[in-house]
Amino acid sequence: MEDLNGGVLSLIESARRAAEVIIEHINSKSRISVFSHIDADGISAAGIMGMALSRAGAKFRIRIERWFDEKIADEIASERDSLPILTDMGSGYIEILNRSMEGRDLIILDHHQPSGEPDESFVHVNPEIFGIDGARDISGAGVAYLTAKAISERNIDLAYLAVIGALGDMQDKYENRSLGGVNNLIVEDAVKSGYLKTETDILLFGRETRPIHKALAFTTTPFIPGISGEEDKCLAFLTKLGIKLKENDKWRALRDLSQEEKRKIFSGISDLLISQGYEPKVASSLIGTVYILVKEEPWTPLRDAREFALLLNATGRMGRPGLGVAICMGDRGKCLEEARQTLEDYRKKINENLRWLDEHKDRLEELDGIYVLHGGERIDEKMISAISTILSTNLPNTKKPIIAYSTVPEEGLIKISARTTEDLTEKGFNLGEIMRVSAEKFSGKGGGHDIAAGAQIPIETKDEFLRFVNDLVMKELKKIESRD
């Protein structure tokens, strides 16, 4: 990695310090406990660390968690004979960790906005500390990869997993839907190691594996009204465009289409979206950089890195994250078959939730400063982040963030997933800070990134919390308007 700026060099040096502590514990035969988040980025990060630790001969275990809280911190602290490594989590809970782990070794490999100064015994590797955007330029899996590479150069072959994690976190925000910043350096490593190649194409879900009409129906970013989730309507749409759907009685996939056929599909989708009032840039988001994992078998969901990320996200959100970690660590047998079925179940559940919301439009409430999606118990808390992400690309007023929530009665909590737009964050709007401040006011915890954030709060504070968030967002929006 040549010609790096000071922030990137400092981040790499921080990862090297973490690697030194990890190696020291491996050499002393300490057990290592990896704790990671339930989404695609967290599972990729766990897989990277799992592979690096396995190769180094470490005794380790991996746990995937829905979220981080005092309970998890206490469990980590109770394991006095092991080195805890937190991947894709921890930076927003420094004060809790300071109380529970004071004076003890702890590795935090995260990319979310930090809150507080860590205990001097911790090694805290986070791009935000060095002025690098953790929402766009490197993911949790990317931080885990830098640490794994510092453990051993051999681990350069794990770079592709960090690419998957970044795509799972929707960090493809650079020109042509590409990864940039530190992620671009990781892409270079993945290409150099022979695991990855890139090209420009239509970004349909299942471009490698699905018949064209199914790939179109399963595409939800952006959500295309009358197309997403509607296979019959997709068949009719493609037929009307004159797209040949079969070749020798075999369904054709996107990879089988000519450039002219792809242009017809894109133009048709663009015309459809514009006719329904969407801006041209919504359709243009369907064209971008494709990340192809060349060592994976064609016609499998692991060939396309975005589809790989979705499969990992599905295993986590459907309560089977161990499948995702196993696949990241090389399992291509029974675990992969089970994960593929889990992905199908996940997609069905997503589409069921979207259809339900379409039938219950009153569940999406517009306030002065925000949209509120009242998911309640109907939308599972493991699904709420995916639903809020999809809806955030289809809101009538893109200047308002969306605050989506699910109720978790057994925990006495409301799980919140919040999203906003690039346009607002470029003007200084910070949704992660709003979630942190608002959640703490109501005895909860929150944080994340400027563009995507979350929180957990007590159920009984929901209405007050939403009013407070709305007021806080209004104040921030007025500040932005006054500067424009």
Side-chain angles (χ1 to χ4, degrees), residues 209-415:
T209 57
R210 296 182 180 278
I212 314 160
H213 66 285
K214 287 181 177 286
L216 192 54
F218 274 65
T219 296
T220 53
T221 308
F223 185 80
I224 309 167
I227 293 292
S228 296
E230 305 282 353
E231 286 187 24
D232 290 346
K233 291 180 181 177
C234 289
L235 276 170
F237 173 77
L238 292 166
T239 301
K240 186 177 179 181
L241 291 176
I243 304 297
K244 187 177 180 182
L245 299 175
K246 285 187 174 183
E247 187 78 53
N248 297 325
D249 290 328
K250 182 181 177 182
W251 290 107
R252 300 171 76 206
L254 184 66
R255 62 187 301 225
D256 301 319
L257 270 56
S258 68
Q259 290 302 316
E260 178 58 31
E261 288 174 309
K262 290 175 184 178
R263 277 193 289 271
K264 280 185 181 180
I265 293 174
F266 175 75
S267 294
I269 294 172
S270 182
D271 290 345
L272 176 63
L273 287 169
I274 289 170
S275 72
Q276 298 191 28
Y278 289 89
E279 295 180 9
K281 67 179 181 180
V282 175
S284 67
S285 69
L286 278 167
I287 300 290
T289 305
V290 177
Y291 295 86
I292 302 167
L293 304 172
V294 295
K295 294 199 175 186
E296 301 294 346
E297 290 294 323
W299 297 95
T300 72
L302 306 186
R303 181 81 171 180
D304 179 271
R306 285 186 179 85
E307 196 170 348
F308 197 137
L310 191 60
L311 180 137
L312 296 183
N313 203 45
T315 64
R317 300 300 178 186
M318 297 295 285
R320 307 199 67 188
L323 291 177
V325 174
I327 290 165
C328 288
M329 294 183 67
D331 192 305
R332 296 294 181 271
K334 185 179 178 183
C335 283
L336 178 56
E337 286 307 310
E338 291 183 25
R340 291 176 80 159
Q341 184 55 55
T342 302
L343 176 58
E344 291 297 314
D345 295 342
Y346 175 74
R347 297 302 305 184
K348 287 176 184 174
K349 193 170 276 290
I350 289 289
N351 283 322
E352 284 172 9
N353 284 323
L354 292 174
R355 280 195 292 272
W356 178 76
L357 286 171
D358 193 48
E359 293 166 3
H360 298 82
K361 291 184 171 59
D362 59 323
R363 290 294 187 132
L364 184 63
E365 180 184 7
E366 184 176 5
L367 304 181
D368 292 337
I370 60 175
Y371 287 95
V372 178
L373 172 59
H374 300 277
E377 292 184 53
R378 176 60 177 76
I379 299 180
D380 189 283
E381 54 92 5
K382 296 188 190 74
M383 295 286 171
I384 197 66
S385 64
I387 298 299
S388 67
T389 297
I390 292 167
L391 291 182
S392 69
T393 65
N394 295 275
L395 295 172
N397 186 342
T398 56
K399 292 184 179 180
K400 293 184 179 182
I402 181 169
I403 312 297
Y405 74 85
S406 289
T407 308
V408 191
E410 68 273 17
E411 299 277 352
L413 293 173
I414 296 292
K415 168 71 185 298

Side-chain angles (χ1 to χ4, degrees), residues 446-458:
H449 302 296
D450 57 359
I451 195 167
Q456 301 94 41
I457 59 166

Side-chain angles (χ1 to χ4, degrees), residues 420-441:
T420 189
T421 64
E422 285 282 329
D423 291 343
L424 277 179
T425 58
E426 286 171 359
K427 295 175 180 177
F429 187 83
N430 191 332
L431 191 57
E433 185 64 10
I434 287 171
M435 284 294 101
R436 184 189 68 77
V437 170
S438 302
E440 288 178 0
K441 180 175 176 63

Side-chain angles (χ1 to χ4, degrees), residues 14-34:
S14 179
R16 186 190 62 76
R17 290 199 301 273
E20 287 176 351
V21 175
I22 293 168
I23 291 168
E24 181 183 317
H25 278 264
I26 292 171
N27 291 339
S28 66
K29 308 299 182 184
S30 298
R31 188 176 69 168
I32 296 174
S33 295
V34 178

